[in-house]
Amino acid sequence: MSNRVFKYSYKSSHQENLSLSVYNVGYQRCEPGYSWGPGMRDHYLFHYVTEGRGTLQTPEGSYSIESGCLFLIRPSEVVSYAADRQEPWEYYWVGFNGTEAHRLINLTPFTLEKRVLYLKDEGLRSLLVQIYDFRGSSSANEVKMLGALYQFLGVLIEKSEPVKNRRTPTNQYVKQAIKFISRNFSSDISIEDVANAVRISPSHLYRIFSSELGIPPAQFLIRYRINEACSILKNSDLSISEVAVSTGFSDPLYFSRAFKKVKGLSPRAYLKEIQAEK
């Protein structure tokens, strides 16, 4: 294995509330002992290791990772990972999110108990490189990246065991609720309003959102508003207070606290990062 260290990465300026979108993608040959974390992500993130080895520390324990292993990091969980000091790893990654992300992950072999899969020579590296090669901010680039991401997830879904008999979530109530939220998030709506709009009880709405999307409806509504706020901050000259009001937050201080909880930094710090990238 070559000792040359490199890193190629791309971070998408995607639309935050799409059903599925690539957040970042790249590949890296790490220096000995290179580490990340402890920290949290606000999106799903796959790493596929093609050379070397390292360790992954998760809430449920530690994993030894070697060449051929694919591991998953879920949103809002504290993890860390580090390259081996003698045989540092080379890995390829893709991060993604969206309203369909949780459903698609549930169709793969990954579960809360199964964090790492050994998938040697499954074409995963080529698919991850393809996502990277399609990088760009144009609509065509975004569609091509998404198509390659779907192919990557399709390979994983094929690995699911038939005995699991996993159903494909097609809950119309969830779809109707998301549509109602997308049309009314800037207004002063509550979860009761969402439940009334789709004609079910708030408790039923809680159950189906937790089952289908992995988060309760109140949390989904906050994340949806914060993601819309991110898009407005990127694409307008509105003040932070104006962005708060535009996304359904009547209290700017509560908006700032909610923003930091979801994104890991304040709206002002997020805005500075955007301006630095321009």
Side-chain angles (χ1 to χ4, degrees):
M1 182 175 70
S2 169
N3 291 324
R4 184 173 67 90
V5 174
F6 58 75
K7 180 178 182 179
Y8 299 91
S9 64
Y10 173 76
K11 184 175 181 179
S12 174
S13 57
H14 61 284
Q15 297 294 318
E16 300 277 357
N17 279 322
L18 292 177
S19 59
L20 190 70
S21 58
V22 175
Y23 183 85
N24 56 28
V25 63
Y27 51 99
Q28 180 175 2
R29 179 171 292 155
C30 299
E31 61 189 33
Y34 171 87
S35 64
W36 185 91
M40 291 190 301
R41 307 287 190 176
D42 63 353
H43 54 278
Y44 288 95
L45 181 63
F46 278 115
H47 281 75
Y48 182 57
V49 178
T50 57
E51 294 184 28
R53 61 182 66 249
T55 57
L56 169 67
Q57 186 69 43
T58 73
E60 69 270 13
S62 181
Y63 297 85
S64 296
I65 309 294
E66 61 183 31
S67 176
C69 286
L70 177 73
F71 63 87
L72 173 65
I73 296 170
R74 296 174 182 270
S76 303
E77 60 181 10
V78 178
V79 300
S80 61
Y81 46 90
D84 187 79
R85 293 191 176 278
Q86 279 70 48
E87 298 179 62
W89 53 20
E90 176 181 325
Y91 52 52
Y92 296 70
W93 75 83
V94 62
F96 59 96
N97 55 14
T99 56
E100 284 284 278
H102 180 77
R103 181 184 73 85
L104 291 169
I105 288 295
N106 276 350
L107 297 175
T108 72
F110 287 90
T111 66
L112 293 175
E113 294 76 30
K114 184 179 288 187
R115 170 82 59 170
V116 181
L117 292 179
Y118 183 80
L119 296 169
K120 189 74 171 177
D121 299 324
E122 297 289 347
L124 297 181
R125 176 187 176 278
S126 296
L127 287 170
L128 292 170
V129 170
Q130 190 175 61
I131 299 172
Y132 178 80
D133 288 344
F134 286 145
R135 70 193 182 278
S137 58
S138 72
S139 296
N141 290 127
E142 290 178 353
V143 170
K144 288 179 179 179
M145 285 194 296
L146 184 56
L149 174 61
Y150 271 115
Q151 290 185 58
F152 175 83
L153 293 172
V155 171
L156 300 184
I157 291 169
E158 285 181 336
K159 300 297 177 184
S160 290
E161 302 157 7
V163 295
K164 288 184 177 179
N165 192 27
R166 296 187 178 187
R167 64 184 180 89
T168 301
T170 56
N171 197 304
Q172 292 301 314
Y173 289 130
V174 172
K175 292 181 180 179
Q176 291 171 18
I178 291 173
K179 183 181 292 186
F180 178 82
I181 289 171
S182 70
R183 292 176 176 175
N184 298 278
F185 69 88
S186 60
S187 302
D188 184 22
I189 59 170
S190 65
I191 295 307
E192 287 73 19
D193 294 325
V194 179
N196 289 336
V198 298
R199 299 180 180 178
I200 58 176
S201 69
S203 59
H204 189 193
L205 186 70
Y206 180 93
R207 287 193 296 271
I208 61 176
F209 257 73
S210 299
S211 173
E212 302 289 341
L213 302 181
I215 58 174
Q219 189 176 347
F220 179 91
L221 176 58
I222 290 174
R223 285 189 181 184
Y224 195 97
R225 284 170 162 162
I226 295 301
N227 285 338
E228 289 295 329
C230 289
S231 295
I232 296 173
L233 287 169
K234 289 176 184 177
N235 301 304
S236 79
D237 295 323
L238 293 180
S239 68
I240 291 174
S241 294
E242 290 169 334
V243 172
V245 172
S246 300
T247 51
F249 292 92
S250 58
D251 182 351
L253 291 178
Y254 176 66
F255 168 69
S256 294
R257 289 196 298 270
F259 193 103
K260 187 171 184 179
K261 186 174 182 179
V262 172
K263 294 298 180 181
L265 69 172
S266 69
R268 196 170 303 280
Y270 182 85
L271 191 56
K272 286 183 179 179
E273 280 195 356
I274 294 170
Q275 293 169 343
E277 291 173 359
K278 293 181 178 179

